[in-house]
Each structure stands twice: as structure tokens, then as C-alpha cells.
Amino acid sequence: MNKLIQWMRRLEGWFGLATAIFLAVGLYMSLISSPPDYYQGEIVRIMYVHVPFAQTSLLSYLVLFIGSIWYLWKKDSVIDNLSHATAGIGVFFTAGELVTGSIWGKPAWNTWWSWDARMTSALVLLLILVAYLMLRVFMDDRDKEARYAAILAIVGFIDLPIVYFSVEWWRTLHQPLSVSQRGLAISQEILIPLIVMTIGFYLLFTYMVMVRTRMLYLGHLLEAKKGRFLSQAHL
Amino acid sequence: MSRVKTLFYIRWGIILLVIFTIAVLGYQRYLRDVASLTPDQILEHPSNETVRISGMIQGGSLTREDDGLSASFSLQGNNRSLIVRYHGQDTDSLRDLKVVVVTGRMNTKTAEFEGEALSLVPNYGFVAVSYLLGILPTCLFLFLMERKLRLLYTEVKEAKLYEPEVM
């Protein structure tokens, strides 16, 4: 068995446990113990799910980018499984970011959607990830599929800094970065639950990547086994 | 049922139990710190306890005192209106036809509400929906992935590499 898969199998349980602890504590702080915001009132609580979704969406694309470069360099099929897994999970987190952001937008800005730089670039990120997954579904040759998908992911990376810095580069409806070189624009009572939830989401992402990578690896292994069986049977 | 399968369902049972506990605690906090009564409810069941009431300030009913800390207005419910004598901060934020949440006590003798604090309309439905749409699909996604992984693992173990044809 591949070393990376073995390593994932060994550590998966610990990551799962840490995820559960951080998310349980984070949810308790977000929904119960943290105070309402002076300006936004109770709706600030949406931030504790929306921001971690957004941060994890960026992290997932970063991992996909690194995995794609790694694959083109080493041509390791398990790294390709990891990139493929990350893209699927990235779609989930980016969609979650857009949905929770839209729900927050209605009471905060009185609109479900605005074509501002942050929201549009996040939507573009989702479309790139969907295109990546579609490419993988419609190609017949597995090597070509992995290579073209990796190239697409590397080209699509250009959207990542646009998503992150859009709120600094353009003055739009979306608020600027809360943690930047200018300092911290957020009170500690709100920051702590946000950090706990974000760590929980990062751990969740890592755990999901481990599970999904192993899932894809076993799927391919099964296909290979069945293929060999058929070829032997029809000799 | 195999031991691995049993442990898998026990683990998910514990996860659902923790989520359910947090949801119950969240609902209790909502009732304690967020939920408000309508003017109709407080007029039907008047009590001396401190409560929050929410409603729209009737047009033309708002009058302010010169001290900047007192105001009175009529708060419109579904069918009935309640007179509110407010004394506290933020009287500038009071406007005709604005929906407000006032914390205070009902004066059962005068049938007027004595308000002492104003707060924002909570919009808690948006909070609840965003958590439901954030957490439940995550659990479902993870559950299906883990289940699929286990099924694949069993299938790979049971799959035969080579089986000679019967002659």
C-alpha cells in the first residue's frame, strides 16, 4: 500500500477526534456563549460559519494547486487522488461560503446577492472547481485526465489572490479584511469563537481530504483488480 | 453486524447527540436572551416580569422629552397597541414606523409598558437557517463519504485477483 495512504489511515482517527472537539466547542461558543455585536446584533453569529467556510474554500484551492504541481512533477497517482479529492471538497466549502454569505447579506445589506468583487470572484472559484470535476468525469484516458486537470487547476489559481485581496483592491459592499497589516478590526469576544471555528473547519477539511483520497484510491484499486480478473477470465 | 460497522454507527450517534444538545442549549438561549413578545401577548397576559416586546412604532405617536432620555410612543401589535413610556439610552434611534425591541416591565395598574433598554431586531431566523444549511449538509457529506469508504474497503478485500475458468 502507498506510504501516503498508510499515513492517512493511521492519523485519520486523531484528526476526526480533534475536528469533533473543536467544532463542538466552536458551535457552543458561536451560538450560546458569545455576545451579540453592537452594530449587527444577533446576525453576527452567521460570521462564525460563513468565514470558516470561506477560509477553508481558499485553503482547499491552495492544496489543489500544490497537489497539481506535485502531480505534474512526480506523476504519482495517489497525489492525483489527493488533488481530485480536494477539488470535490473545495466545491462543497465554496458553495457553503456563497450560501451562508448570501443569507448574511439579506439582513446586513438588504440584498441576497451583489455582483461585487469578492462575491463574483468566489463564484468564479466555484465554477473553476466545477469545471475541474467535469473534466475528470468526461475524459476517457486516466493519464490525460490527471494531466489536463492539474493544468486547469494551476491556471485557475490566478483567481485565488483575486478572491483574497478583492476587498482591499476595490471598495465595494463587502467589508475589508478583519485581520490585516492595519491590525485587528474585531473584538476579542468575537475573535476567539471565530478562531476556534476556523481551526475546526481546517481540521475537518484535512479529515475529509484523508477520507476522500482513500476513497478514490480504493475505487481505482478495485477497478484495477476487477480489470485484471476480467482480462484473465477472457484469455 | 461487524464490530467496525457498529463502532461507525455509535460514533455517528454520538456526533448527532452532541449536535442535538448544542441545538437545545441554543434554543434555551434564544428563549432567554433573544425571543420577544408582541404587544398583543403582553396585553392578554400582563405580568410584572422583565420582558422584551417587539412591534412597530405607530405613526405620529412618538413624543420625546427635552432631557433626551425619555420618550413615549404607541407600539403596534397584530390587533392591539400598547403605550410605552421609555426612559433610557438611544432615544435618538426611535423613529415613526420603525420596528423596535424594548426591554422593560408592564405596569399592570396603568396598563402601560415601562421600557428601559432598546435593542436591535434579532433576525434570528437568518442565523438558524445559516447554521442548518452549514452544519447538516457537512454531516451528510461526511457520513456518506465515510460509509462509501468502508463499503469500498470491504469490496476491495473481497475482490478476487484471479480465478481460473472451470474446464
Side-chain angles (χ1 to χ4, degrees):
Chain A
M1 195 183 273
N2 184 282
K3 268 187 181 174
L4 187 67
I5 295 291
Q6 273 181 330
W7 178 79
M8 284 179 179
R9 210 178 156 196
R10 242 194 336 264
L11 291 182
E12 199 183 271
W14 292 108
F15 271 92
L17 184 68
T19 303
I21 291 168
F22 267 90
L23 285 184
V25 174
L27 279 174
Y28 179 83
M29 291 172 106
S30 312
L31 279 169
I32 299 153
S33 70
S34 70
D37 181 55
Y38 180 77
Y39 290 108
Q40 296 195 55
E42 291 290 330
I43 60 159
V44 75
R45 294 182 198 284
I46 299 173
M47 183 180 70
Y48 304 125
V49 278
H50 171 66
V51 172
F53 262 116
Q55 306 270 30
T56 315
S57 148
L58 296 180
L59 175 71
S60 64
Y61 203 93
L62 187 67
V63 174
L64 173 62
F65 175 68
I66 295 166
S68 299
I69 293 173
W70 195 356
Y71 173 74
L72 289 180
W73 181 34
K74 294 279 182 190
K75 292 281 188 293
D76 184 344
S77 66
V78 176
I79 300 303
D80 178 52
N81 293 155
L82 187 139
S83 303
H84 191 175
T86 308
I89 294 163
V91 166
F92 176 77
F93 282 106
T94 314
E97 171 197 2
L98 291 170
V99 169
T100 52
S102 183
I103 295 169
W104 195 9
K106 184 60 183 167
W109 303 329
N110 199 28
T111 180
W112 294 103
W113 181 263
S114 161
W115 290 101
D116 86 334
R118 169 59 71 86
M119 292 160 89
T120 309
S121 54
L123 182 64
V124 169
L125 193 73
L126 178 68
L127 294 176
I128 293 169
L129 287 166
V130 170
Y132 177 96
L133 292 178
M134 282 171 76
L135 179 79
R136 303 212 64 134
V137 169
F138 296 126
M139 296 272 297
D140 288 331
D141 186 319
R142 183 151 290 159
D143 288 335
K144 269 189 185 173
E145 173 198 316
R147 201 164 58 245
Y148 291 171
I151 293 167
L152 175 68
I154 292 166
V155 173
F157 181 75
I158 194 154
D159 191 46
L160 207 70
I162 299 175
V163 176
Y164 189 76
F165 292 109
S166 56
V167 288
E168 297 289 311
W169 293 341
W170 295 283
R171 286 292 292 170
T172 57
L173 202 56
H174 210 282
Q175 65 266 40
L177 295 171
S178 297
V179 182
S180 66
Q181 286 183 331
R182 292 186 302 273
L184 210 62
I186 193 166
S187 81
Q188 210 169 357
E189 289 168 315
I190 288 174
L191 185 66
I192 292 169
L194 186 61
I195 289 172
V196 174
M197 280 294 273
T198 305
I199 294 171
F201 267 68
Y202 280 177
L203 288 167
L204 176 69
F205 165 76
T206 314
Y207 179 70
M208 278 182 165
V209 168
M210 286 173 166
V211 172
R212 203 168 171 83
T213 304
R214 283 179 60 209
M215 206 178 100
L216 291 170
Y217 173 80
L218 289 178
H220 289 169
L221 194 67
L222 190 66
E223 268 179 44
K225 269 190 159 188
K226 280 183 175 169
R228 186 160 171 204
F229 171 71
L230 280 175
S231 67
Q232 293 287 348
H234 290 89
L235 272 176
Chain B
M1 202 187 281
S2 71
R3 189 174 160 268
V4 176
K5 217 172 178 181
T6 312
L7 284 173
F8 173 73
Y9 284 111
I10 287 174
R11 186 150 47 90
W12 273 96
I14 293 169
I15 290 171
L16 291 179
L17 192 70
V18 170
I19 292 174
F20 180 73
T21 309
I22 292 172
V24 169
L25 290 173
Y27 184 63
Q28 283 175 345
R29 188 202 155 263
Y30 169 79
L31 292 178
R32 193 179 62 238
D33 300 334
V34 185
S36 57
L37 300 171
T38 62
D40 307 63
Q41 286 171 313
I42 192 87
L43 282 166
E44 277 165 28
H45 306 286
S47 79
N48 288 325
E49 286 178 26
T50 301
V51 289
R52 285 176 300 277
I53 54 164
S54 62
M56 186 193 279
I57 298 175
Q58 262 182 352
S61 70
L62 179 65
T63 52
R64 297 169 201 275
E65 301 296 324
D66 291 336
D67 62 2
L69 290 172
S70 305
S72 68
F73 50 89
S74 186
L75 203 63
Q76 201 176 320
N78 296 326
N79 301 311
R80 301 165 74 177
S81 294
L82 174 70
I83 294 170
V84 178
R85 305 261 171 225
Y86 179 75
H87 185 81
Q89 302 293 318
D90 295 334
T91 50
D92 288 345
S93 66
L94 294 168
R95 299 271 186 281
D96 278 345
L97 305 177
K98 184 180 176 178
V99 177
V100 289
V101 178
V102 189
T103 307
R105 288 163 189 269
M106 185 77 183
N107 187 331
T108 43
K109 287 177 189 162
T110 59
E112 289 175 350
F113 191 79
E114 290 170 359
E116 56 203 33
L118 290 171
S119 46
L120 295 170
V121 178
N123 279 323
Y124 212 78
F126 290 101
V127 177
V129 169
S130 61
Y131 275 80
L132 281 175
L133 288 181
I135 302 305
L136 292 183
T138 306
C139 287
L140 190 65
F141 187 47
L142 195 57
F143 174 78
L144 292 175
M145 275 201 309
E146 283 196 355
R147 196 164 159 268
K148 171 93 180 168
L149 179 68
R150 264 145 194 87
L151 287 172
L152 273 171
Y153 201 75
T154 316
E155 220 176 324
V156 167
K157 268 169 77 176
E158 286 171 0
K160 289 171 184 164
L161 273 177
Y162 170 69
E163 197 170 88
E165 286 179 78
V166 179
M167 297 299 286

